[in-house]
Every structure is written in structure tokens, then in C-alpha cells.
Amino acid sequence: MHSKVHREGHRPLVLLAILVVCASGAAAGAEADEKETYRLAHLDYMLHCQGCHMTDGSGVEGTVPPLPGEVGKFIASPEWRDYLVQVPGASQALIDDEALARLMTWIVRRFDPENAKDLKPYEPAEVGRLRSQPVTNPTEVRRRIIEEIQGSAAEE
């Protein structure tokens, strides 16, 4: 009897130990998934974006907008969020919707972390919908969206 009571007394501790091991394993798995997501998005950036936006995201003055400190500046605006996927370079990238969603989330977080703090990650279905409505005049649309955002901010 003593041995049965002794074993049952340790049962909560054993269960707690199992939970801690499982949780740390899940955390390590999540960290590995995050590293792989980062690696894949960075690779897609190198293959599909950095030819115009450059390695550091600086772009080309007058033709390709810079990304650092800019790409997420208006991310709270649904129209701006959509625009980032609808520009020709993104909407026509030769990657699937899941990869583009991962890439767009990575770009905003990588090049504009200050403005990306509340970024809701792009979803593949969202990206697929937006890709079917590409922007054909990105410079004009970008200018209009920024003017509207800044105009509504000035009114507040």
C-alpha cells in the first residue's frame, strides 16, 4: 500500500515533467519552422525581388521604391496592404500564393520592423485574390494611396 500511495503521489509531478518536455519540444519545433520560413522567404527575395530592390532593399531612385522604413509605413491601410501584393513584381512572381504570402510578410518585417509590429501575416488565399487584380500603373496608384492616407491623417 505504501508503494501505491507513493507512486500516486508522484503522478502530478510526472505529468508536469511530460508537459514541460513536450512544450520545450514544441517551442524548438516552432523555432525551427520560423527559421525555415525565414530562409525560404529570404531565398525567394533573392530570386524574385533583389534584382530591382537590391540586396539591402534600397531600390533604384526614381524607378524602384526603397523598402527600408517605407514598405510597412502604411501597412495599417487595407488599400496599401493590397497594393504591396498587386504591384507587377509581386503579383507576377513565378511562385505560388503560399510562397508569395510568406515573402510579403518577410519583406515588411525585414525591411520595416518598426512599422511591422502589428502586421497580420499575409495569407495564401488573400494573396491569390489580390494577384488576380494586379496594378498596371503602380507609380500612380502608389502616389494616390499615399495622398489619401496622408490626407485622412491630416483630417484627424
Side-chain angles (χ1 to χ4, degrees):
M1 178 123 172
H2 173 71
S3 117
K4 182 178 179 187
V5 170
H6 185 71
R7 279 192 309 244
E8 287 178 2
H10 290 309
R11 192 172 289 161
L13 293 175
V14 171
L15 291 174
L16 179 61
I18 291 170
L19 286 173
V20 168
V21 169
C22 289
S24 64
E31 185 177 316
D33 287 347
E34 190 173 315
K35 284 182 180 180
E36 180 65 2
T37 295
Y38 182 94
R39 186 187 73 76
L40 291 171
H42 188 207
L43 180 61
D44 280 332
Y45 179 80
M46 289 188 295
L47 293 171
H48 302 284
C49 307
Q50 98 178 13
C52 296
H53 284 284
M54 305 296 138
T55 303
D56 63 356
S58 61
V60 178
E61 192 172 336
T63 56
V64 180
L67 300 173
E70 296 293 324
V71 71
K73 192 180 278 186
F74 308 113
I75 202 68
S77 161
E79 194 171 13
W80 181 258
R81 180 184 171 89
D82 293 356
Y83 166 81
L84 295 177
V85 174
Q86 293 171 315
V87 296
S91 66
Q92 296 172 14
L94 298 176
I95 54 178
D96 64 25
D97 294 343
E98 181 177 351
L100 184 57
R102 178 178 54 234
L103 174 58
M104 297 309 297
T105 301
W106 180 86
I107 286 173
V108 176
R109 288 180 175 161
R110 163 67 177 83
F111 290 108
D112 202 353
E114 186 62 34
N115 290 311
K117 289 178 180 171
D118 296 325
L119 174 69
K120 175 183 166 255
Y122 283 92
E123 295 290 331
E126 170 190 22
V127 166
R129 177 181 55 79
L130 294 170
R131 287 177 108 172
S132 69
Q133 307 159 7
V135 168
T136 56
N137 52 351
T139 304
E140 176 59 30
V141 171
R142 176 185 171 83
R143 184 194 57 72
R144 181 186 53 76
I145 292 171
I146 291 172
E147 283 177 1
E148 287 175 7
I149 292 169
Q150 290 174 337
S152 66
E155 291 172 9
E156 294 174 1

